[in-house]
Amino acid sequence: MTAVEAAAPVSLAASIQRLATGVATPLDLVGESLARIEALDPELRAWVSVDADSAIAAAHGLTDIPEGSRGALWGTPAGVKDIIDVAGMRTGCGSAIFDQAPPASADAGCVAALRGAGGIVLGKTVTTEFGYFAPGPTINPHRPTRGTAPHTPGGSSSGSAVAVASGMVPFAFGTQTAGSLTRPASYCGVAGLVAPIHAIPTDGVTGLSHSLDSIGFLAATAADLRIAYTAISGTPAPAQGARRPPRLLVWDGTDIAPVSGDMLSGLHLAISAARTRGALVESLGSAAAVRDLVPLHMSVMAYEAACTHKWLLSRKNEVSGPLADLLSSGDLLADADFHRAMAGLAAARKDILNRLQHFDAIIAPAAPGSAPAGLAKTGDPILSRPWQALGLPAVTMAGLRDAAGMPLGIQVIGNPGHPGGLLDIAEWLEPSLAQH
């Protein structure tokens, strides 16, 4: 077994407990992360840059803070996706265009919140080009057998997913515009939270589509996601009471994409486990309405990407073909087409939220299957597009594997006004998946 095969996620909750009890110091946690990066990243290539000196200095600076003044993430190292600004570090966006860009002058709002909660920025993680489809060099840490071709980690939060999956950091920032966080979480076998759109400010983030861009987190478990979300968003932690079995709507995704047999088996296993524990489970139905969301999402994303990055239209020869095509198609869309798409999304959102008045969440595959072999493509984000188009939060749960041993993620999608409830469901169901 190689060092990569032996690597596993590190619990954020356990790291915080080690700090709280004095078993470890912030400097210990930073040192452990740096050691894992040194051992694993030459093969996995999850990081664009690591600022060890700044991280060590930050850890030293946190040591003397009195216990009562420590933030919720005190002393915990984190990775930051390289479309998010970190003061003093270049934001490369996975593009050679920014190779000579100066360092960012200020932290993005979410990074400032991380530091305010006592977290430590370890460095910048690899992203696809401008958060779209052209992959970076990162390799999925899972292998079905030794000696096979590398598998994609997904996109575009690929570096963050791999950094967490291989235990280099206990959590990392990702973003999602289509399936950029949910898919890597599923492919790499970690938990992922896509926050409701605008729940966490995106200032200092180089996005694609302001109506669709969302910030989120990757971590070992749903409980770890709750810690990160509560600390970064400033949302008060909910009181932990008795959790009733949830009411779930099932969507298997086959109305919009081919879904692998292993993924469908995993979904059925999750549903069976939920029912065994008392959950009410019914079919979502409305297949045609969900299908219609995919082209609407694509229209809005293309139009807004062309508006946001209009300067790139004159430099299309310097970007990948998929990004150039996206910008060109968005530039050709009429304003009226965009407004019709937005109106269609508003109507669909109202319909889905009406359905969710009587249910707690939608349960669905997080991706059409396990991570495809090869690094030329990042996999298909189609099973996330409908829900991202509606601005709904999603939590990916880890624990399942396909017949070849590769991770399979199951997602739950919920009401944007109650992401804590979605995390409740994920924490409730996740142990059942881990048993299998």
Side-chain angles (χ1 to χ4, degrees):
M1 181 175 289
T2 68
V4 171
E5 289 170 326
V10 173
S11 166
L12 176 60
S15 297
I16 290 172
Q17 180 66 15
R18 290 175 66 205
L19 292 167
T21 57
V23 172
T25 67
L27 191 59
D28 290 332
L29 264 59
V30 168
E32 290 166 8
S33 285
L34 292 173
R36 287 191 185 95
I37 291 170
E38 183 178 7
L40 302 177
D41 205 52
E43 179 179 357
L44 296 180
R45 303 179 73 182
W47 297 85
V48 175
S49 59
V50 175
D51 192 341
D53 290 342
S54 292
I56 290 169
H60 277 299
L62 291 167
T63 302
D64 294 331
I65 294 178
E67 187 173 344
S69 301
R70 296 172 182 173
L73 298 174
W74 178 78
T76 55
V80 180
K81 182 177 177 178
D82 195 27
I83 64 168
I84 302 173
D85 287 350
V86 173
M89 302 186 75
R90 180 177 62 83
T91 303
C93 298
S95 172
I97 289 176
F98 289 143
D99 278 351
Q100 304 303 316
S105 59
D107 287 334
C110 59
V111 174
L114 167 73
R115 295 195 204 270
I120 299 170
V121 174
L122 205 62
K124 305 295 287 292
T125 57
V126 170
T127 177
T128 59
E129 178 195 41
F130 286 94
Y132 197 50
F133 282 149
T138 309
I139 292 175
N140 193 310
H142 298 276
R143 300 286 190 278
T145 57
R146 227 180 270 178
T148 60
H151 288 238
T152 178
S156 61
S157 302
S158 51
S160 288
V162 171
V164 170
S166 56
M168 299 184 203
V169 283
F171 79 105
F173 284 101
T175 66
Q176 180 154 296
T177 306
S180 300
L181 191 151
T182 297
R183 188 164 82 265
S186 180
Y187 287 174
C188 295
V190 296
L193 167 66
V194 180
I197 290 175
H198 308 312
I200 299 175
T202 55
D203 60 291
V205 179
T206 304
L208 271 178
S209 167
H210 64 84
S211 297
L212 303 173
D213 294 336
S214 180
I215 291 175
F217 310 96
L218 297 118
T221 66
D224 291 338
L225 294 175
R226 184 190 298 277
I227 294 168
Y229 178 73
T230 299
I232 302 299
S233 68
T235 304
Q240 294 296 321
R243 294 177 183 167
R244 62 166 173 78
R247 299 160 299 184
L248 301 172
L249 291 167
V250 178
W251 179 69
D252 68 10
T254 56
D255 51 323
I256 64 171
V259 178
S260 75
D262 281 336
M263 181 61 86
L264 291 175
S265 295
L267 177 64
H268 294 154
L269 189 153
I271 293 166
S272 176
R275 281 185 168 136
T276 298
R277 297 181 60 197
L280 171 67
V281 183
E282 294 185 11
S283 172
L284 173 64
S286 304
V290 176
R291 265 199 311 273
D292 291 344
L293 291 172
V294 175
L296 294 176
H297 174 275
M298 295 174 72
S299 293
V300 170
M301 183 171 66
Y303 179 92
E304 292 191 341
C307 293
T308 300
H309 298 295
K310 203 168 187 69
W311 63 279
L312 279 175
L313 287 167
S314 62
R315 302 180 66 175
K316 287 192 293 184
N317 62 321
E318 299 177 61
V319 301
S320 66
L323 181 58
D325 291 344
L326 176 75
L327 297 174
S328 296
S329 64
D331 193 47
L332 292 173
L333 277 174
D335 293 349
D337 294 330
F338 169 71
H339 292 305
R340 274 193 293 271
M342 290 295 287
L345 292 182
R349 178 183 168 97
K350 181 178 180 180
D351 177 59
I352 291 293
L353 290 181
N354 282 339
R355 295 294 310 276
L356 284 171
Q357 285 184 351
H358 306 290
F359 290 84
D360 300 303
I362 299 162
I363 185 168
S370 60
L375 301 178
K377 296 183 178 180
T378 62
D380 194 342
I382 192 167
L383 299 190
S384 296
R385 286 187 188 272
W387 318 116
Q388 195 66 22
L390 301 182
L392 306 186
V395 177
T396 301
M397 298 168 288
L400 299 176
R401 300 287 181 120
D402 69 6
M406 295 294 285
L408 297 168
I410 301 297
Q411 63 174 327
V412 285
I413 304 110
N415 192 309
H418 193 30
L422 199 60
L423 288 164
D424 286 342
I425 295 168
E427 287 187 54
W428 181 85
L429 187 56
E430 197 175 52
S432 297
L433 304 186
Q435 291 172 8
H436 298 273

